[in-house]
Short mmCIF file of all heavy atoms in Angstrom, two decimals:
data_model
loop_
_atom_site.label_atom_id
_atom_site.label_comp_id
_atom_site.label_asym_id
_atom_site.label_seq_id
_atom_site.Cartn_x
_atom_site.Cartn_y
_atom_site.Cartn_z
N MET A 1 -46.70 45.39 81.16
CA MET A 1 -48.09 45.13 80.74
C MET A 1 -49.02 46.07 81.51
O MET A 1 -49.31 45.84 82.68
CB MET A 1 -48.46 43.67 81.01
CG MET A 1 -48.20 42.75 79.84
SD MET A 1 -48.96 41.14 80.10
CE MET A 1 -47.88 40.49 81.39
N ALA A 2 -49.46 47.10 80.87
CA ALA A 2 -50.32 48.07 81.54
C ALA A 2 -51.70 47.46 81.82
O ALA A 2 -52.21 47.55 82.93
CB ALA A 2 -50.46 49.31 80.70
N GLN A 3 -52.25 46.85 80.79
CA GLN A 3 -53.64 46.38 80.89
C GLN A 3 -53.68 44.94 80.37
O GLN A 3 -54.09 44.71 79.24
CB GLN A 3 -54.50 47.31 80.02
CG GLN A 3 -55.90 47.59 80.49
CD GLN A 3 -56.03 48.19 81.87
OE1 GLN A 3 -55.07 48.55 82.54
NE2 GLN A 3 -57.24 48.27 82.34
N PRO A 4 -53.23 43.98 81.20
CA PRO A 4 -53.21 42.59 80.70
C PRO A 4 -54.63 42.14 80.33
O PRO A 4 -55.56 42.39 81.07
CB PRO A 4 -52.70 41.78 81.89
CG PRO A 4 -52.15 42.75 82.85
CD PRO A 4 -52.85 44.05 82.60
N GLU A 5 -54.74 41.53 79.18
CA GLU A 5 -56.07 41.13 78.73
C GLU A 5 -56.63 39.97 79.55
O GLU A 5 -55.88 39.19 80.11
CB GLU A 5 -56.06 40.79 77.23
CG GLU A 5 -55.39 39.47 76.91
CD GLU A 5 -55.73 38.96 75.50
OE1 GLU A 5 -56.88 38.57 75.26
OE2 GLU A 5 -54.83 38.96 74.66
N TYR A 6 -57.92 39.92 79.60
CA TYR A 6 -58.61 38.82 80.27
C TYR A 6 -58.93 37.73 79.27
O TYR A 6 -59.31 38.02 78.14
CB TYR A 6 -59.92 39.30 80.91
CG TYR A 6 -59.70 40.14 82.15
CD1 TYR A 6 -59.56 41.53 82.05
CD2 TYR A 6 -59.64 39.55 83.40
CE1 TYR A 6 -59.36 42.29 83.19
CE2 TYR A 6 -59.44 40.31 84.54
CZ TYR A 6 -59.30 41.69 84.43
OH TYR A 6 -59.10 42.43 85.55
N ILE A 7 -58.77 36.51 79.69
CA ILE A 7 -59.12 35.34 78.89
C ILE A 7 -60.31 34.68 79.58
O ILE A 7 -60.26 34.45 80.79
CB ILE A 7 -57.94 34.33 78.90
CG1 ILE A 7 -56.63 35.00 78.50
CG2 ILE A 7 -58.23 33.11 78.05
CD1 ILE A 7 -56.56 35.50 77.10
N VAL A 8 -61.34 34.42 78.82
CA VAL A 8 -62.53 33.77 79.39
C VAL A 8 -62.57 32.33 78.89
O VAL A 8 -62.53 32.08 77.68
CB VAL A 8 -63.82 34.51 78.98
CG1 VAL A 8 -65.05 33.81 79.56
CG2 VAL A 8 -63.78 35.96 79.42
N ILE A 9 -62.62 31.39 79.82
CA ILE A 9 -62.65 29.97 79.47
C ILE A 9 -63.96 29.39 80.00
O ILE A 9 -64.22 29.46 81.20
CB ILE A 9 -61.46 29.22 80.08
CG1 ILE A 9 -60.15 29.84 79.58
CG2 ILE A 9 -61.50 27.73 79.75
CD1 ILE A 9 -59.18 30.17 80.66
N ARG A 10 -64.75 28.85 79.10
CA ARG A 10 -66.03 28.24 79.52
C ARG A 10 -65.97 26.75 79.21
O ARG A 10 -65.82 26.35 78.05
CB ARG A 10 -67.18 28.91 78.76
CG ARG A 10 -68.56 28.44 79.20
CD ARG A 10 -69.65 29.36 78.67
NE ARG A 10 -69.78 29.25 77.22
CZ ARG A 10 -70.59 28.39 76.60
NH1 ARG A 10 -71.31 27.54 77.30
NH2 ARG A 10 -70.64 28.37 75.28
N ALA A 11 -66.06 25.96 80.25
CA ALA A 11 -65.94 24.50 80.09
C ALA A 11 -67.17 23.93 79.41
O ALA A 11 -68.30 24.23 79.80
CB ALA A 11 -65.74 23.85 81.45
N LEU A 12 -66.96 23.12 78.40
CA LEU A 12 -68.06 22.48 77.67
C LEU A 12 -68.20 21.01 78.05
O LEU A 12 -69.04 20.30 77.50
CB LEU A 12 -67.85 22.63 76.16
CG LEU A 12 -67.80 24.09 75.65
CD1 LEU A 12 -67.46 24.13 74.17
CD2 LEU A 12 -69.11 24.80 75.91
N GLU A 13 -67.36 20.56 78.97
CA GLU A 13 -67.47 19.21 79.53
C GLU A 13 -66.88 19.25 80.94
O GLU A 13 -66.22 20.23 81.31
CB GLU A 13 -66.74 18.18 78.65
CG GLU A 13 -65.23 18.36 78.61
CD GLU A 13 -64.50 17.31 77.78
OE1 GLU A 13 -65.15 16.47 77.15
OE2 GLU A 13 -63.26 17.35 77.79
N ASP A 14 -67.13 18.20 81.70
CA ASP A 14 -66.54 18.12 83.04
C ASP A 14 -65.04 17.88 82.94
O ASP A 14 -64.57 17.22 82.00
CB ASP A 14 -67.17 16.96 83.82
CG ASP A 14 -68.59 17.28 84.29
OD1 ASP A 14 -69.00 18.44 84.25
OD2 ASP A 14 -69.29 16.33 84.70
N GLY A 15 -64.32 18.37 83.89
CA GLY A 15 -62.90 18.04 84.00
C GLY A 15 -61.97 18.77 83.05
O GLY A 15 -60.90 18.26 82.73
N VAL A 16 -62.38 19.95 82.63
CA VAL A 16 -61.47 20.75 81.79
C VAL A 16 -60.37 21.32 82.68
O VAL A 16 -60.64 21.81 83.79
CB VAL A 16 -62.25 21.91 81.09
CG1 VAL A 16 -61.30 22.90 80.45
CG2 VAL A 16 -63.22 21.34 80.06
N ASN A 17 -59.14 21.23 82.23
CA ASN A 17 -58.02 21.78 82.99
C ASN A 17 -57.50 23.05 82.34
O ASN A 17 -57.24 23.07 81.14
CB ASN A 17 -56.88 20.76 83.06
CG ASN A 17 -57.16 19.67 84.07
OD1 ASN A 17 -57.33 19.95 85.25
ND2 ASN A 17 -57.23 18.44 83.61
N VAL A 18 -57.35 24.07 83.18
CA VAL A 18 -56.70 25.31 82.74
C VAL A 18 -55.35 25.32 83.43
O VAL A 18 -55.28 25.34 84.67
CB VAL A 18 -57.52 26.56 83.15
CG1 VAL A 18 -56.81 27.83 82.72
CG2 VAL A 18 -58.93 26.49 82.58
N ILE A 19 -54.31 25.26 82.65
CA ILE A 19 -52.97 25.12 83.21
C ILE A 19 -52.18 26.40 82.94
O ILE A 19 -52.08 26.84 81.79
CB ILE A 19 -52.25 23.92 82.56
CG1 ILE A 19 -53.08 22.64 82.80
CG2 ILE A 19 -50.84 23.76 83.11
CD1 ILE A 19 -52.77 21.53 81.82
N GLY A 20 -51.66 27.00 84.00
CA GLY A 20 -50.84 28.20 83.87
C GLY A 20 -49.38 27.82 83.75
O GLY A 20 -48.89 26.97 84.50
N LEU A 21 -48.68 28.45 82.80
CA LEU A 21 -47.26 28.19 82.60
C LEU A 21 -46.45 29.42 82.96
O LEU A 21 -46.86 30.55 82.70
CB LEU A 21 -47.00 27.78 81.15
CG LEU A 21 -47.65 26.45 80.77
CD1 LEU A 21 -48.86 26.65 79.90
CD2 LEU A 21 -46.66 25.55 80.09
N THR A 22 -45.30 29.17 83.55
CA THR A 22 -44.48 30.26 84.10
C THR A 22 -43.85 31.12 83.01
O THR A 22 -43.56 30.65 81.91
CB THR A 22 -43.34 29.69 84.96
OG1 THR A 22 -42.58 28.76 84.18
CG2 THR A 22 -43.87 28.99 86.19
N ARG A 23 -43.61 32.34 83.36
CA ARG A 23 -42.86 33.27 82.51
C ARG A 23 -41.37 33.15 82.87
O ARG A 23 -41.04 32.86 84.01
CB ARG A 23 -43.36 34.70 82.78
CG ARG A 23 -42.86 35.74 81.80
CD ARG A 23 -43.42 37.11 82.13
NE ARG A 23 -44.87 37.18 81.99
CZ ARG A 23 -45.52 37.26 80.82
NH1 ARG A 23 -44.85 37.25 79.69
NH2 ARG A 23 -46.83 37.31 80.79
N GLY A 24 -40.50 33.40 81.91
CA GLY A 24 -39.07 33.40 82.22
C GLY A 24 -38.31 32.36 81.44
O GLY A 24 -38.79 31.87 80.43
N ASN A 25 -37.13 32.03 81.93
CA ASN A 25 -36.24 31.14 81.19
C ASN A 25 -36.80 29.74 81.02
O ASN A 25 -36.67 29.14 79.97
CB ASN A 25 -34.87 31.06 81.86
CG ASN A 25 -34.11 32.36 81.70
OD1 ASN A 25 -34.31 33.08 80.73
ND2 ASN A 25 -33.25 32.67 82.65
N ASP A 26 -37.41 29.24 82.10
CA ASP A 26 -38.05 27.95 81.89
C ASP A 26 -39.57 28.07 81.97
O ASP A 26 -40.10 28.89 82.71
CB ASP A 26 -37.51 26.84 82.80
CG ASP A 26 -37.32 27.30 84.23
OD1 ASP A 26 -38.16 28.10 84.70
OD2 ASP A 26 -36.35 26.86 84.87
N THR A 27 -40.20 27.28 81.17
CA THR A 27 -41.66 27.33 81.04
C THR A 27 -42.22 26.06 81.65
O THR A 27 -42.10 24.99 81.07
CB THR A 27 -42.03 27.45 79.55
OG1 THR A 27 -41.36 28.59 79.02
CG2 THR A 27 -43.52 27.63 79.36
N LYS A 28 -42.80 26.23 82.83
CA LYS A 28 -43.29 25.05 83.56
C LYS A 28 -44.72 25.28 84.02
O LYS A 28 -45.13 26.43 84.22
CB LYS A 28 -42.43 24.82 84.82
CG LYS A 28 -41.02 24.40 84.52
CD LYS A 28 -40.30 24.10 85.82
CE LYS A 28 -38.91 23.54 85.52
NZ LYS A 28 -38.04 23.62 86.70
N PHE A 29 -45.42 24.20 84.24
CA PHE A 29 -46.76 24.30 84.83
C PHE A 29 -46.62 24.85 86.25
O PHE A 29 -45.77 24.40 87.00
CB PHE A 29 -47.40 22.91 84.95
CG PHE A 29 -47.82 22.26 83.66
CD1 PHE A 29 -47.43 22.75 82.42
CD2 PHE A 29 -48.61 21.12 83.69
CE1 PHE A 29 -47.83 22.12 81.24
CE2 PHE A 29 -49.01 20.49 82.51
CZ PHE A 29 -48.61 20.99 81.29
N HIS A 30 -47.42 25.84 86.62
CA HIS A 30 -47.39 26.29 88.01
C HIS A 30 -48.75 26.21 88.69
O HIS A 30 -48.85 26.32 89.92
CB HIS A 30 -46.81 27.70 88.14
CG HIS A 30 -47.67 28.78 87.53
ND1 HIS A 30 -48.82 29.22 88.11
CD2 HIS A 30 -47.52 29.49 86.40
CE1 HIS A 30 -49.36 30.17 87.35
NE2 HIS A 30 -48.60 30.34 86.30
N HIS A 31 -49.79 26.05 87.90
CA HIS A 31 -51.12 26.00 88.51
C HIS A 31 -52.07 25.27 87.57
O HIS A 31 -52.05 25.51 86.37
CB HIS A 31 -51.64 27.42 88.76
CG HIS A 31 -52.95 27.46 89.49
ND1 HIS A 31 -53.04 27.67 90.84
CD2 HIS A 31 -54.22 27.30 89.05
CE1 HIS A 31 -54.32 27.65 91.21
NE2 HIS A 31 -55.06 27.42 90.14
N THR A 32 -52.87 24.38 88.13
CA THR A 32 -53.91 23.71 87.34
C THR A 32 -55.24 23.96 88.01
O THR A 32 -55.39 23.73 89.21
CB THR A 32 -53.64 22.20 87.25
OG1 THR A 32 -52.37 22.00 86.63
CG2 THR A 32 -54.69 21.51 86.41
N GLU A 33 -56.17 24.44 87.24
CA GLU A 33 -57.53 24.69 87.74
C GLU A 33 -58.46 23.77 86.98
O GLU A 33 -58.41 23.70 85.75
CB GLU A 33 -57.88 26.16 87.46
CG GLU A 33 -59.00 26.71 88.27
CD GLU A 33 -58.72 26.74 89.76
OE1 GLU A 33 -57.59 27.08 90.16
OE2 GLU A 33 -59.64 26.40 90.52
N LYS A 34 -59.29 23.04 87.72
CA LYS A 34 -60.21 22.11 87.07
C LYS A 34 -61.60 22.72 87.00
O LYS A 34 -62.12 23.19 88.02
CB LYS A 34 -60.24 20.78 87.84
CG LYS A 34 -60.89 19.66 87.04
CD LYS A 34 -60.57 18.31 87.63
CE LYS A 34 -59.60 17.54 86.76
NZ LYS A 34 -59.28 16.20 87.27
N LEU A 35 -62.18 22.73 85.81
CA LEU A 35 -63.53 23.28 85.63
C LEU A 35 -64.48 22.18 85.22
O LEU A 35 -64.15 21.35 84.37
CB LEU A 35 -63.54 24.35 84.52
CG LEU A 35 -62.58 25.54 84.61
CD1 LEU A 35 -62.80 26.47 83.41
CD2 LEU A 35 -62.80 26.31 85.89
N ASP A 36 -65.69 22.20 85.79
CA ASP A 36 -66.73 21.30 85.33
C ASP A 36 -67.60 22.02 84.31
O ASP A 36 -67.55 23.25 84.19
CB ASP A 36 -67.55 20.77 86.52
CG ASP A 36 -66.78 19.69 87.27
OD1 ASP A 36 -65.93 19.02 86.65
OD2 ASP A 36 -67.03 19.53 88.48
N LYS A 37 -68.41 21.24 83.60
CA LYS A 37 -69.23 21.77 82.51
C LYS A 37 -70.02 23.00 82.97
O LYS A 37 -70.68 22.95 84.01
CB LYS A 37 -70.19 20.69 82.01
CG LYS A 37 -70.95 21.09 80.78
CD LYS A 37 -71.73 19.94 80.20
CE LYS A 37 -72.44 20.44 78.93
NZ LYS A 37 -73.07 19.33 78.21
N GLY A 38 -69.94 24.06 82.20
CA GLY A 38 -70.68 25.28 82.50
C GLY A 38 -69.91 26.26 83.37
O GLY A 38 -70.28 27.43 83.46
N GLU A 39 -68.86 25.79 83.99
CA GLU A 39 -68.07 26.71 84.82
C GLU A 39 -67.20 27.59 83.93
O GLU A 39 -66.73 27.17 82.88
CB GLU A 39 -67.18 25.92 85.79
CG GLU A 39 -67.99 25.27 86.90
CD GLU A 39 -67.13 24.59 87.96
OE1 GLU A 39 -66.07 24.05 87.63
OE2 GLU A 39 -67.56 24.60 89.12
N VAL A 40 -67.00 28.81 84.43
CA VAL A 40 -66.26 29.81 83.67
C VAL A 40 -65.08 30.26 84.51
O VAL A 40 -65.22 30.49 85.71
CB VAL A 40 -67.18 31.01 83.33
CG1 VAL A 40 -66.39 32.17 82.77
CG2 VAL A 40 -68.28 30.59 82.36
N MET A 41 -63.94 30.40 83.88
CA MET A 41 -62.79 31.00 84.56
C MET A 41 -62.36 32.21 83.75
O MET A 41 -62.29 32.15 82.52
CB MET A 41 -61.64 29.99 84.64
CG MET A 41 -60.42 30.53 85.37
SD MET A 41 -59.27 29.21 85.75
CE MET A 41 -57.84 30.17 86.23
N ILE A 42 -62.12 33.29 84.45
CA ILE A 42 -61.64 34.52 83.83
C ILE A 42 -60.24 34.75 84.36
O ILE A 42 -60.06 34.85 85.58
CB ILE A 42 -62.58 35.70 84.17
CG1 ILE A 42 -64.00 35.37 83.72
CG2 ILE A 42 -62.09 36.97 83.51
CD1 ILE A 42 -65.06 36.29 84.30
N ALA A 43 -59.26 34.75 83.46
CA ALA A 43 -57.86 34.80 83.91
C ALA A 43 -57.09 35.83 83.10
O ALA A 43 -57.49 36.22 82.01
CB ALA A 43 -57.23 33.42 83.75
N GLN A 44 -55.98 36.25 83.67
CA GLN A 44 -55.09 37.19 82.99
C GLN A 44 -53.70 36.61 82.86
O GLN A 44 -53.31 35.74 83.64
CB GLN A 44 -54.96 38.47 83.82
CG GLN A 44 -56.11 39.42 83.69
CD GLN A 44 -55.93 40.61 84.61
OE1 GLN A 44 -55.84 40.43 85.83
NE2 GLN A 44 -55.86 41.79 84.05
N PHE A 45 -52.95 37.13 81.90
CA PHE A 45 -51.52 36.89 81.88
C PHE A 45 -50.90 37.85 82.88
O PHE A 45 -51.34 38.99 83.00
CB PHE A 45 -50.97 37.11 80.47
CG PHE A 45 -51.47 36.07 79.51
CD1 PHE A 45 -52.48 36.36 78.60
CD2 PHE A 45 -50.95 34.79 79.54
CE1 PHE A 45 -52.96 35.38 77.74
CE2 PHE A 45 -51.42 33.81 78.68
CZ PHE A 45 -52.42 34.11 77.78
N THR A 46 -49.93 37.38 83.62
CA THR A 46 -49.33 38.18 84.70
C THR A 46 -47.81 38.09 84.60
O THR A 46 -47.28 37.43 83.70
CB THR A 46 -49.75 37.63 86.08
OG1 THR A 46 -49.11 36.35 86.25
CG2 THR A 46 -51.25 37.47 86.20
N GLU A 47 -47.14 38.69 85.57
CA GLU A 47 -45.67 38.57 85.59
C GLU A 47 -45.25 37.12 85.84
O GLU A 47 -44.13 36.74 85.54
CB GLU A 47 -45.05 39.51 86.62
CG GLU A 47 -45.52 39.24 88.03
CD GLU A 47 -44.79 40.07 89.08
OE1 GLU A 47 -43.53 40.07 89.06
OE2 GLU A 47 -45.46 40.70 89.90
N HIS A 48 -46.15 36.31 86.40
CA HIS A 48 -45.83 34.91 86.68
C HIS A 48 -46.33 33.96 85.59
O HIS A 48 -45.86 32.84 85.49
CB HIS A 48 -46.44 34.47 88.01
CG HIS A 48 -46.03 35.33 89.16
ND1 HIS A 48 -44.73 35.41 89.59
CD2 HIS A 48 -46.75 36.18 89.95
CE1 HIS A 48 -44.66 36.27 90.60
NE2 HIS A 48 -45.86 36.75 90.84
N THR A 49 -47.31 34.39 84.84
CA THR A 49 -47.98 33.51 83.87
C THR A 49 -47.81 34.06 82.46
O THR A 49 -48.29 35.15 82.15
CB THR A 49 -49.48 33.42 84.20
OG1 THR A 49 -49.63 32.96 85.56
CG2 THR A 49 -50.20 32.45 83.26
N SER A 50 -47.13 33.29 81.61
CA SER A 50 -46.90 33.74 80.23
C SER A 50 -47.77 33.00 79.24
O SER A 50 -47.93 33.46 78.10
CB SER A 50 -45.44 33.54 79.84
OG SER A 50 -45.15 32.16 79.78
N ALA A 51 -48.28 31.86 79.64
CA ALA A 51 -49.06 31.04 78.70
C ALA A 51 -50.06 30.21 79.49
O ALA A 51 -49.89 29.99 80.69
CB ALA A 51 -48.13 30.14 77.90
N MET A 52 -51.08 29.79 78.80
CA MET A 52 -52.06 28.90 79.41
C MET A 52 -52.31 27.75 78.45
O MET A 52 -52.34 27.95 77.24
CB MET A 52 -53.40 29.62 79.65
CG MET A 52 -53.32 30.74 80.64
SD MET A 52 -54.91 31.57 80.78
CE MET A 52 -54.33 33.26 81.03
N LYS A 53 -52.50 26.61 79.04
CA LYS A 53 -52.84 25.43 78.24
C LYS A 53 -54.21 24.96 78.71
O LYS A 53 -54.44 24.82 79.92
CB LYS A 53 -51.78 24.36 78.46
CG LYS A 53 -52.10 23.05 77.80
CD LYS A 53 -50.89 22.14 77.88
CE LYS A 53 -51.25 20.76 77.40
NZ LYS A 53 -50.05 19.92 77.25
N ILE A 54 -55.09 24.71 77.76
CA ILE A 54 -56.44 24.26 78.09
C ILE A 54 -56.57 22.82 77.63
O ILE A 54 -56.34 22.51 76.45
CB ILE A 54 -57.53 25.09 77.34
CG1 ILE A 54 -57.23 26.59 77.39
CG2 ILE A 54 -58.91 24.75 77.88
CD1 ILE A 54 -57.28 27.23 78.73
N ARG A 55 -56.92 21.95 78.56
CA ARG A 55 -57.06 20.53 78.26
C ARG A 55 -58.54 20.16 78.44
O ARG A 55 -59.09 20.40 79.51
CB ARG A 55 -56.23 19.75 79.27
CG ARG A 55 -55.54 18.56 78.69
CD ARG A 55 -54.67 17.92 79.75
NE ARG A 55 -53.28 17.87 79.34
CZ ARG A 55 -52.27 17.71 80.17
NH1 ARG A 55 -52.47 17.63 81.46
NH2 ARG A 55 -51.05 17.63 79.71
N GLY A 56 -59.15 19.62 77.40
CA GLY A 56 -60.57 19.29 77.45
C GLY A 56 -61.35 20.26 76.57
O GLY A 56 -60.79 21.20 76.01
N LYS A 57 -62.65 20.01 76.49
CA LYS A 57 -63.49 20.77 75.56
C LYS A 57 -63.96 22.06 76.22
O LYS A 57 -64.67 22.03 77.22
CB LYS A 57 -64.68 19.91 75.12
CG LYS A 57 -65.51 20.52 74.01
CD LYS A 57 -66.53 19.50 73.49
CE LYS A 57 -67.59 20.12 72.60
NZ LYS A 57 -67.03 20.76 71.40
N ALA A 58 -63.57 23.17 75.62
CA ALA A 58 -63.90 24.47 76.20
C ALA A 58 -63.99 25.53 75.12
O ALA A 58 -63.41 25.39 74.04
CB ALA A 58 -62.85 24.88 77.22
N GLU A 59 -64.74 26.57 75.45
CA GLU A 59 -64.79 27.75 74.60
C GLU A 59 -63.86 28.78 75.22
O GLU A 59 -63.92 29.03 76.43
CB GLU A 59 -66.23 28.27 74.56
CG GLU A 59 -66.43 29.45 73.65
CD GLU A 59 -67.85 29.98 73.78
OE1 GLU A 59 -68.08 30.80 74.69
OE2 GLU A 59 -68.71 29.57 72.99
N ILE A 60 -63.01 29.37 74.40
CA ILE A 60 -62.00 30.30 74.90
C ILE A 60 -62.15 31.62 74.17
O ILE A 60 -62.03 31.68 72.95
CB ILE A 60 -60.59 29.72 74.66
CG1 ILE A 60 -60.45 28.36 75.35
CG2 ILE A 60 -59.52 30.68 75.16
CD1 ILE A 60 -59.61 27.37 74.58
N GLN A 61 -62.45 32.65 74.94
CA GLN A 61 -62.60 33.99 74.36
C GLN A 61 -61.39 34.83 74.71
O GLN A 61 -61.03 34.92 75.88
CB GLN A 61 -63.83 34.69 74.94
CG GLN A 61 -65.15 34.08 74.58
CD GLN A 61 -66.28 34.83 75.29
OE1 GLN A 61 -66.40 36.03 75.15
NE2 GLN A 61 -67.08 34.10 76.05
N THR A 62 -60.80 35.43 73.69
CA THR A 62 -59.70 36.36 73.92
C THR A 62 -59.93 37.60 73.06
O THR A 62 -60.86 37.63 72.26
CB THR A 62 -58.33 35.75 73.52
OG1 THR A 62 -58.24 35.73 72.09
CG2 THR A 62 -58.14 34.35 74.05
N ALA A 63 -59.07 38.57 73.20
CA ALA A 63 -59.14 39.77 72.38
C ALA A 63 -58.92 39.43 70.91
O ALA A 63 -59.27 40.20 70.02
CB ALA A 63 -58.11 40.78 72.85
N HIS A 64 -58.32 38.28 70.67
CA HIS A 64 -58.03 37.86 69.29
C HIS A 64 -59.19 37.09 68.68
O HIS A 64 -59.13 36.73 67.51
CB HIS A 64 -56.76 37.01 69.25
CG HIS A 64 -55.61 37.69 69.92
ND1 HIS A 64 -54.93 38.72 69.32
CD2 HIS A 64 -55.08 37.52 71.15
CE1 HIS A 64 -54.01 39.15 70.17
NE2 HIS A 64 -54.08 38.45 71.28
N GLY A 65 -60.19 36.81 69.48
CA GLY A 65 -61.36 36.12 68.95
C GLY A 65 -61.75 34.93 69.80
O GLY A 65 -61.27 34.75 70.92
N LEU A 66 -62.62 34.15 69.21
CA LEU A 66 -63.22 33.01 69.90
C LEU A 66 -62.63 31.73 69.32
O LEU A 66 -62.55 31.59 68.09
CB LEU A 66 -64.73 33.07 69.66
CG LEU A 66 -65.62 32.10 70.40
CD1 LEU A 66 -65.58 32.35 71.90
CD2 LEU A 66 -67.05 32.26 69.90
N THR A 67 -62.24 30.83 70.19
CA THR A 67 -61.76 29.55 69.70
C THR A 67 -62.30 28.44 70.60
O THR A 67 -62.83 28.72 71.67
CB THR A 67 -60.21 29.51 69.62
OG1 THR A 67 -59.82 28.31 68.95
CG2 THR A 67 -59.57 29.56 70.99
N GLU A 68 -62.19 27.22 70.13
CA GLU A 68 -62.67 26.11 70.93
C GLU A 68 -61.61 25.03 70.98
O GLU A 68 -61.01 24.70 69.96
CB GLU A 68 -63.96 25.53 70.29
CG GLU A 68 -65.13 25.58 71.24
CD GLU A 68 -66.39 24.91 70.71
OE1 GLU A 68 -66.35 23.70 70.43
OE2 GLU A 68 -67.41 25.62 70.59
N SER A 69 -61.39 24.52 72.17
CA SER A 69 -60.53 23.34 72.28
C SER A 69 -61.42 22.11 72.19
O SER A 69 -62.62 22.19 72.48
CB SER A 69 -59.76 23.36 73.59
OG SER A 69 -60.65 23.50 74.67
N GLU A 70 -60.84 21.02 71.78
CA GLU A 70 -61.63 19.80 71.59
C GLU A 70 -61.37 18.79 72.69
O GLU A 70 -60.33 18.79 73.32
CB GLU A 70 -61.30 19.19 70.21
CG GLU A 70 -61.92 20.01 69.08
CD GLU A 70 -61.49 19.52 67.72
OE1 GLU A 70 -61.18 18.32 67.56
OE2 GLU A 70 -61.45 20.35 66.79
N ALA A 71 -62.34 17.91 72.82
CA ALA A 71 -62.20 16.83 73.81
C ALA A 71 -61.14 15.86 73.33
O ALA A 71 -60.95 15.66 72.13
CB ALA A 71 -63.53 16.12 73.98
N LYS A 72 -60.45 15.27 74.28
CA LYS A 72 -59.47 14.24 73.94
C LYS A 72 -60.20 12.98 73.48
O LYS A 72 -61.21 12.62 74.07
CB LYS A 72 -58.62 13.94 75.18
CG LYS A 72 -57.25 13.43 74.83
CD LYS A 72 -56.28 13.76 75.92
CE LYS A 72 -56.06 12.58 76.84
NZ LYS A 72 -55.07 12.89 77.86
N LYS A 73 -59.69 12.35 72.45
CA LYS A 73 -60.38 11.16 71.93
C LYS A 73 -59.99 9.95 72.79
O LYS A 73 -58.92 9.89 73.34
CB LYS A 73 -59.95 10.87 70.48
CG LYS A 73 -59.96 12.11 69.60
CD LYS A 73 -61.17 12.23 68.69
CE LYS A 73 -61.72 13.63 68.61
NZ LYS A 73 -61.05 14.51 67.69
N1 LIG B 1 -50.63 33.16 90.69
C1 LIG B 1 -50.92 33.16 89.28
C2 LIG B 1 -50.37 34.46 88.65
O1 LIG B 1 -50.47 35.52 89.28
C3 LIG B 1 -52.42 33.08 89.08
C4 LIG B 1 -52.84 33.06 87.65
C5 LIG B 1 -53.02 34.17 86.88
C6 LIG B 1 -53.13 31.92 86.84
N2 LIG B 1 -53.39 33.79 85.62
C7 LIG B 1 -53.49 32.43 85.54
C8 LIG B 1 -53.17 30.53 87.03
C9 LIG B 1 -53.83 31.58 84.50
C10 LIG B 1 -53.52 29.70 85.98
C11 LIG B 1 -53.85 30.21 84.72
O2 LIG B 1 -49.84 34.42 87.56
#
């Protein structure tokens, strides 16, 4: 990965979790970052991180476009 893309996550409620999942044979949570409303996290995919899971209501910007996760009911 020469230029890993940046992912921008903007929390739209308190307690949004950004969960990093490991790269490789097994895919496990390795890091959870908690964001409160209005907080922004800018993250990359790395040799350790192959996927991210966003829990809670947030706006997520990637090179593929803008998406929104929803609050848990
Ligand atoms: N130590 C992690 C890594 O280098 C840090 C990290 C990068 C991370 N991107 C992330 C943690 C996304 C959570 C979500 O891969």
Side-chain angles (χ1 to χ4, degrees):
M1 268 192 289
Q3 214 57 7
E5 73 164 291
Y6 287 89
I7 308 295
V8 179
I9 301 130
R10 185 166 68 89
L12 300 175
E13 67 178 4
D14 286 346
V16 169
N17 283 300
V18 179
I19 302 159
L21 294 106
T22 55
R23 191 179 296 284
N25 289 332
D26 44 36
T27 304
K28 292 184 175 163
F29 289 11
H30 67 74
H31 185 98
T32 300
E33 199 63 41
K34 194 164 252 181
L35 305 181
D36 283 334
K37 188 172 181 172
E39 288 186 326
V40 170
M41 182 168 168
I42 303 166
Q44 280 177 300
F45 292 103
T46 69
E47 60 173 309
H48 304 296
T49 303
S50 67
M52 295 177 216
K53 174 170 172 170
I54 316 294
R55 218 176 238 161
K57 188 171 168 60
E59 183 186 85
I60 302 144
Q61 294 177 55
T62 74
H64 308 284
L66 187 65
T67 189
E68 239 185 60
S69 54
E70 287 174 28
K72 207 153 99 178
K73 313 258 138 83

